[in-house]
Amino acid sequence: QVQLVESGGGLVQAGGSLRLSCAVSGRTFSSYAMGWFRQAPGKERESVAAIDWSGRTTYYTDSVKGRFTISRDNAKNTVYLQMNNLKPEDTAVYYCNAANIPTMTPYFSNWGQGTQVTVSS
């Protein structure tokens, strides 16, 4: 079974930056496209960004384009999400998962614990 461990969240002011990391084990990491997802209080989980297995092609939901950057290091079995110019509406628990592309839907049924991102205005 795949294990997903997210880290890097925190409390920042609007306009600030955070870098999230997700360590993956239990599967051949480089075989999968990967994605970041988030769930705000009272809302359904939504896709944020995805990246193909090679790291050459990326996908973003419209609300984060130009502010977030997804990347991966296949040697470290880790996927990253650099978040700049954060807004209060980015407040959510962030999760990673393998992803179907280009739809950016999650691939595995199990999830990690997520990492909380809180953006104050």
Side-chain angles (χ1 to χ4, degrees), residues 21-86:
S21 299
C22 173
V24 182
S25 60
R27 287 288 189 274
T28 305
F29 178 74
S30 59
S31 297
Y32 297 92
M34 293 297 299
W36 283 96
F37 305 81
R38 66 186 180 187
Q39 187 167 20
K43 295 186 177 181
E44 293 188 354
R45 186 149 38 199
E46 64 174 351
S47 58
V48 175
I51 188 168
D52 75 344
W53 71 271
S54 70
R56 286 192 288 266
T57 305
T58 57
Y59 308 82
Y60 299 94
T61 194
D62 286 346
S63 62
V64 307
K65 284 180 180 176
R67 300 189 297 121
F68 290 10
T69 302
I70 188 172
S71 61
R72 67 190 296 161
D73 186 337
N74 287 345
K76 296 183 178 179
N77 288 1
T78 302
V79 61
Y80 305 97
L81 186 67
Q82 177 68 44
M83 305 186 296
N84 297 330
N85 190 21
L86 282 159

Side-chain angles (χ1 to χ4, degrees), residues 45 47 49 60-61 63-64 66 70 74 77 88-89 91 95 99-100 102-103 108-110 115 119:
R45 186 149 38 199
S47 58
Y60 299 94
T61 194
S63 62
V64 307
I70 188 172
N74 287 345
N77 288 1
E89 51 264 42
T91 295
Y95 303 87
N100 297 300
T103 58
F108 295 119
S109 58
N110 60 300
T115 187
V119 185

Side-chain angles (χ1 to χ4, degrees), residues 5-9 19-23 36 113-115:
V5 180
E6 302 90 348
S7 62
R19 189 193 193 206
L20 307 183
S21 299
C22 173
W36 283 96
Q113 83 289 347
T115 187

